[in-house]
Amino acid sequence: MTILTIGRDSTRHGRLRRHLLSSCIMMSCGILMTTGHALAARSDQQPSPRKAKEVVSGSSASHRPTTSQNKQPPQNEELSVTAQHHNSGGGLLVRQTAPVSVSEVSRAYISKQVPTVSPTQLIASLPGVQAGNEGPLNTETETMHIRGLDQTQIGFLFEGVPVSDAFSYAPWASSMVDNENIASVKVTQGSVDLSAPLYNADGAIVSMQEIRPSDKFGGSVDFAGGTHSLQKQFIRLNSGEIGHSDVRAFASFSHSAGNLWRGMGNIERYHIDANLEKRWSKNSSSDIVFGYTTSHQNIYRNPSLAQWNQYGSSFNYDGKYKAGDSNYYAINERFTNVVFGAIHNDFALGNGLTLHVEPYTTFQSGPNNYGSTIPISGGYIGTQQYDHLDGYAAQSGTVTVESVHPWRQNTSGFTTNLNWKTKHNSLSVFYWYSYGGHTEYQDQYPLSATGSWNYGEKYLTANGMRVTGYQENTRQQVNAIGIDDKVILLGGRLVLDAGFKASMASVTSTENLPGASPYKAGKNYFEPTPQFLASYNITKSDQVYMNATTSYRLPAGWSPYVQQFSMTSPKPSSQPTSNLNAEYFIGEEVGFRHNGPVNFSAAWFHYNLTNHQISSSSYLPGTSVLISTPISAGGEEAWGFQGEIGTRPWHHISAYASGQYLNTTIGNNVNAGTDYLPTKGKEEPGSPKWSGAIGLTYDDGTYFSNFNLRYQGKQYSTLMNDQKIPGYFTADLNIGRTLPSFHTHVRPRIMLNLVNMGGVNYLSSINGFGMTAVTQKGLQGNTVHASTPTYVVGSAFTAMVSLSADF
């Protein structure tokens, strides 16, 4: 895929913005002009029988993220507003029936939140979820944990398609869809559906569903602005039914921007969503889902605990350039380009047979840019030492550079599920295929005396070779096939569900640098994952369930397979891991749900991890270059309780509360390279014992407000539990009013959002884990040097006002 936004050419960047905006306007006008006559003729038509049936249903009928049952029904714009009055807990507690722990936020809750926050922030109040909130607008990947599992161990799905980075497993949720187009976000905290197309999810899935095109022509606009120069503009147009074709579509465009709230720099994002739906019959339909994002962000600098204690929230990259400064903010930036497409097909074949088929593809590209210093003479490319950099003969010292890391990857695949349903049985056979590739290297561009650079100059070479710390190429292929059988007994009160999936994966990485050993490495994986689930409806309002599930996670990225280097030493900066086995998860849950004026759910859970792999990151000394460092942590055991409670609206007020207790234990002494550390029995890093949230919502159809208070307990950042960040509280407040329509079809509203309204300065999560925070002797008497964990600084107070309208 062509890299659309690279370098620092403001003229080119401005031209890109104008072309993108004009293209969107032309596309929107084209939809309006080509469909306007047909829409006028059909404007008084009643919703189709399928639509009317689906709108009434408010329950989550299935835990399968890839089936049509989980897709949100087509809705008119007005239905998305009036439905808010019927959500338990202000839209934070949606009724579930699946025999697993599931929590969900609905459109009623999402519509009251800051329009620039990422989907991971929308689920921050759900039980067991820790979301590292770095800022009110973010285009980078984010840190989060669910029941002690980090973001690389959690599966992310959008419309049934995997949307995490296919190799690093970092979630790309904010690049997939605009908040205004999200119908719901569902979190499955302790299990992974067998048919989900995932190879990195241990025991949790975050699944996003998009709104459907409406039956009538209309749309939505949103203009928002706030502190830190925060802004967003959004427009969506719905075609309505085109003629009598049962085809509907929508397309949207958004632009958001802001300044970094700490330090110098800015963020900017452009995004397009589109959906074209064809309803073939009452239970058969096809959707083409499309998304596009291009964004730029100056990178936040992650502090160590000592740096945080000394500088607090003022710690970031330097605002002014000085000779030799690799921490200058303008050379630490990230460009992200994502194109996503899927064709979601569901067909009713008759006699209880249904078929789901969904091909998809995702293109992603960079680059990521960092500051670095390169030796002019005596440096290294791999293990090979060079005399001097080309063009720098008879010079010594170092040259400060913009270290540009171009990367690109493509992942394509398809999922298919054939289901046969009878009165008492439902049998599914499913298959998933995926193929992906990732390439990445480095180019070093010398900085001028003022800290500037451009792509017109030649990147640094030595003896004609590119000066780089890695030049890797990774290929991955996955085949998975499975079967699931569900039996319904006792008049529908008892449901037994058993299934099995076999996944076969092949990963190959090459490192094309002199002396790299190995040059080529990889592994073939075979991972069997059985599961058993059961639920029993005690009454129409009360349900108990239990399950025993398994899942797996392949090693993340290419660093577990091949080396990476710095330019200052022939010694690799990271070594392949000695254990390439997949991480394996075995979990059990027992839960209870009650639905009524007060909805309640609670669950006890337990899981074991073998071949536990921690994905950490650290800065190369003397640079701002982040490298991935895999840690083989052996085994882990965890158990705990979670619960959530929500009320239906009473005098327009609904309340919500959630909480979790989590106990984790490292199962063995971990190899730190030079020796073993006595980590057995320690707590898993990033796993607070206590976490919870309280929410309160008011909505009378004219005035509305939403308040959320969240708590996260202390978190260890090292396997030795000798460094931690304290627990913290944060609170958000959202208030608004629906404005008069003056007898038009326009329904405007105004909203004020206050994020971190107490202005708390806090470390929200851990960016880079460590073995031990202090140098000590290992179990065999050898010295183990201290690590330097790094942390994510939580977002500052932010105020934002938005004016929106549906029409």
Side-chain angles (χ1 to χ4, degrees):
M1 184 183 70
T2 303
I3 297 174
L4 297 176
T5 311
I6 57 177
R8 306 180 61 227
D9 188 334
S10 60
T11 302
R12 181 183 178 189
H13 190 57
R15 188 163 56 249
L16 169 65
R17 287 189 291 181
R18 291 192 295 270
H19 287 174
L20 188 59
L21 181 59
S22 62
S23 298
C24 180
I25 294 173
M26 292 174 65
M27 176 181 66
S28 302
C29 292
I31 293 175
L32 177 60
M33 293 173 64
T34 56
T35 63
H37 180 72
L39 292 170
R42 300 280 290 169
S43 62
D44 59 347
Q45 186 181 37
Q46 295 297 315
S48 68
R50 177 189 176 209
K51 177 192 168 191
K53 178 180 178 181
E54 289 180 322
V55 168
V56 172
S57 175
S59 65
S60 177
S62 172
H63 66 283
R64 300 191 183 285
T66 56
T67 63
S68 61
Q69 290 175 320
N70 264 347
K71 293 176 66 177
Q72 293 293 320
Q75 299 181 15
N76 289 328
E77 296 293 333
E78 63 267 19
L79 290 181
S80 67
V81 176
T82 58
Q84 294 179 12
H85 306 301
H86 307 287
N87 283 271
S88 181
L92 280 166
L93 206 162
V94 179
R95 181 172 182 175
Q96 308 292 336
T97 59
V100 294
S101 295
V102 183
S103 300
E104 183 176 356
V105 297
S106 71
R107 185 69 206 155
Y109 175 79
I110 297 170
S111 63
K112 295 182 178 69
Q113 307 308 304
V114 181
T116 57
V117 299
S118 71
T120 57
Q121 293 304 310
L122 296 175
I123 59 175
S125 293
L126 299 182
V129 178
Q130 303 164 240
N133 185 6
E134 192 171 52
L137 173 62
N138 192 14
T139 65
E140 298 185 47
T141 57
E142 296 180 89
T143 58
M144 72 175 302
H145 288 74
I146 296 178
R147 289 187 182 176
L149 304 175
D150 69 29
Q151 67 276 2
T152 68
Q153 299 169 286
I154 300 167
F156 284 81
L157 298 175
F158 174 53
E159 287 294 315
V161 173
V163 292
S164 294
D165 186 292
F167 295 89
S168 71
Y169 307 153
W172 291 97
S174 61
S175 294
M176 290 299 116
V177 61
D178 270 320
N179 288 359
E180 292 86 349
N181 294 328
I182 298 177
S184 68
V185 185
K186 181 180 294 186
V187 178
T188 306
Q189 288 100 336
S191 60
V192 175
D193 178 27
L194 282 182
S195 63
L198 298 167
Y199 48 77
N200 71 297
D202 280 332
I205 294 179
V206 176
S207 180
M208 300 180 292
Q209 298 295 331
E210 191 174 54
I211 62 172
R212 306 261 67 82
S214 64
D215 285 345
K216 295 183 179 181
F217 171 77
S220 180
V221 293
D222 187 5
F223 300 95
T227 56
H228 318 300
S229 299
L230 188 62
Q231 58 172 293
K232 183 173 184 179
Q233 304 87 41
F234 170 87
I235 181 172
R236 178 179 65 240
L237 291 179
N238 284 285
S239 70
E241 185 178 6
I242 302 175
H244 300 274
S245 63
D246 248 348
V247 173
R248 298 154 183 82
F250 78 74
S252 70
F253 168 78
S254 73
H255 165 260
S256 49
N259 295 331
L260 299 192
W261 69 268
R262 58 184 181 95
M264 298 287 290
N266 60 75
I267 308 172
E268 191 163 26
R269 172 184 181 267
Y270 296 88
H271 183 79
I272 293 174
D273 285 321
N275 187 301
L276 176 68
E277 178 189 58
K278 165 64 178 176
R279 303 178 193 172
W280 304 103
S281 63
K282 180 179 179 181
N283 296 309
S284 298
S285 64
S286 296
D287 288 272
I288 300 176
V289 184
F290 173 81
Y292 167 79
T293 294
T294 182
S295 61
H296 161 266
Q297 175 169 354
N298 290 104
I299 302 172
Y300 285 106
R301 190 177 179 188
N302 298 311
S304 66
L305 190 60
Q307 291 166 332
W308 170 255
N309 290 334
Q310 181 177 358
Y311 300 104
S313 60
S314 64
F315 181 81
N316 204 14
Y317 290 103
D318 301 329
K320 295 182 179 181
Y321 180 72
K322 298 179 181 178
D325 185 7
S326 62
N327 287 321
Y328 177 44
Y329 85 94
I331 60 174
N332 289 275
E333 52 190 349
R334 181 167 296 169
F335 299 90
T336 304
N337 304 280
V338 178
V339 177
F340 167 84
I343 305 176
H344 191 120
N345 302 283
D346 289 291
F347 303 109
L349 305 179
N351 296 320
L353 283 172
T354 57
L355 176 66
H356 166 81
V357 179
E358 185 167 15
Y360 65 88
T361 188
T362 304
F363 295 91
Q364 299 163 327
S365 66
N368 303 334
N369 298 350
Y370 308 97
S372 184
T373 54
I374 307 297
I376 291 177
S377 60
Y380 293 85
I381 303 176
T383 61
Q384 179 178 302
Q385 189 173 33
Y386 56 81
D387 292 331
H388 56 80
L389 297 174
D390 294 339
Y392 287 80
Q395 298 185 40
S396 60
T398 61
V399 56
T400 307
V401 300
E402 171 85 312
S403 185
V404 178
H405 298 212
W407 63 272
R408 58 186 300 168
Q409 67 182 34
N410 167 237
T411 306
S412 298
F414 69 90
T415 63
T416 181
N417 188 322
L418 180 64
N419 186 72
W420 180 40
K421 187 175 183 180
T422 64
K423 183 177 180 180
H424 301 292
N425 192 75
S426 181
L427 178 67
S428 296
V429 179
F430 48 89
Y431 172 71
W432 171 45
Y433 174 78
S434 171
Y435 181 85
H438 179 98
T439 61
E440 187 170 354
Y441 55 91
Q442 298 172 336
D443 284 332
Q444 322 292 346
Y445 290 88
L447 298 182
S448 70
T450 60
S452 63
W453 66 281
N454 64 73
Y455 281 99
E457 298 180 6
K458 178 68 175 176
Y459 54 77
L460 292 180
T461 59
N463 301 323
M465 296 178 59
R466 171 186 281 115
V467 178
T468 179
Y470 53 80
Q471 191 166 325
E472 64 83 24
N473 190 323
T474 302
R475 293 291 180 266
Q476 180 173 268
Q477 187 170 215
V478 180
N479 286 272
I481 188 169
I483 186 170
D484 184 84
D485 191 36
K486 182 188 298 182
V487 180
I488 304 173
L489 304 171
L490 303 180
R493 300 178 71 177
L494 177 64
V495 179
L496 303 177
D497 189 337
F500 177 84
K501 180 170 71 173
S503 301
M504 295 145 283
S506 174
V507 183
T508 302
S509 290
T510 60
E511 181 63 273
N512 191 25
L513 287 183
S517 179
Y519 158 72
K520 182 178 182 179
K523 187 172 182 177
N524 295 321
Y525 297 88
F526 176 77
E527 302 298 332
T529 50
Q531 73 172 23
F532 175 77
L533 310 96
S535 66
Y536 180 75
N537 294 324
I538 304 170
T539 67
K540 292 183 178 180
S541 301
D542 299 283
Q543 179 195 44
V544 293
Y545 65 86
M546 61 82 63
N547 61 70
T549 62
T550 59
S551 51
Y552 70 97
R553 172 188 180 271
L554 300 182
W558 51 268
S559 57
Y561 300 93
V562 293
Q563 299 168 327
Q564 53 186 324
F565 295 82
S566 70
M567 276 63 74
T568 60
S569 170
K571 184 178 179 180
S573 56
S574 74
Q575 286 279 15
T577 181
S578 58
N579 180 10
L580 281 174
N581 293 326
E583 188 173 271
Y584 201 80
F585 173 96
I586 303 174
E588 306 89 30
E589 288 182 323
V590 177
F592 170 78
R593 293 188 181 103
H594 171 76
N595 294 285
V598 176
N599 291 345
F600 171 76
S601 69
W604 170 87
F605 58 88
H606 171 267
Y607 67 79
N608 277 289
L609 285 177
T610 58
N611 298 315
H612 182 30
Q613 303 154 7
I614 298 176
S615 294
S616 186
S617 61
S618 59
Y619 292 103
L620 281 176
T623 76
S624 61
V625 178
L626 276 171
I627 62 169
S628 176
T629 307
I631 299 175
S632 297
E636 179 194 346
E637 183 178 13
W639 64 271
F641 301 90
Q642 73 168 53
E644 58 182 338
I645 185 171
T647 65
R648 294 178 184 173
W650 180 75
H651 293 285
H652 312 299
I653 298 173
S654 55
Y656 174 83
S658 68
Q660 177 181 273
Y661 171 79
L662 175 66
N663 184 291
T664 61
T665 305
I666 298 175
N668 54 277
N669 298 320
V670 175
N671 187 352
T674 57
D675 206 334
Y676 284 84
L677 287 172
T679 55
K680 185 176 182 179
K682 303 289 187 181
E683 291 184 27
E684 183 68 19
S687 304
K689 283 188 177 293
W690 296 98
S691 60
I694 296 174
L696 194 64
T697 299
Y698 176 86
D699 191 342
D700 66 4
T702 301
Y703 295 94
F704 59 89
S705 64
N706 172 257
F707 172 78
N708 289 283
L709 176 69
R710 304 183 183 96
Y711 170 74
Q712 295 291 339
K714 67 178 182 181
Q715 303 174 49
Y716 289 111
S717 56
T718 64
L719 295 175
M720 283 297 296
N721 294 172
D722 51 9
Q723 191 170 113
K724 64 184 179 183
I725 59 175
Y728 59 87
F729 286 93
T730 60
D732 302 337
L733 177 65
N734 313 293
I735 56 177
R737 187 187 192 279
T738 301
L739 302 176
S741 61
F742 298 105
H743 306 290
T744 69
H745 293 292
V746 179
R747 295 170 299 280
R749 73 172 191 168
I750 189 169
M751 182 170 62
L752 170 65
N753 303 103
L754 304 176
V755 179
N756 188 11
M757 56 185 296
V760 179
N761 291 324
Y762 65 103
L763 297 175
S764 66
S765 58
I766 301 158
N767 176 70
F769 296 93
M771 292 282 191
T772 174
V774 295
T775 299
Q776 58 181 288
K777 296 291 184 181
L779 294 175
Q780 299 173 357
N782 299 312
T783 299
V784 178
H785 294 287
S787 307
T788 307
T790 55
Y791 302 91
V792 175
V793 179
S795 176
F797 168 76
T798 302
M800 190 171 196
V801 176
S802 59
L803 180 63
S804 60
D806 297 329
F807 57 90

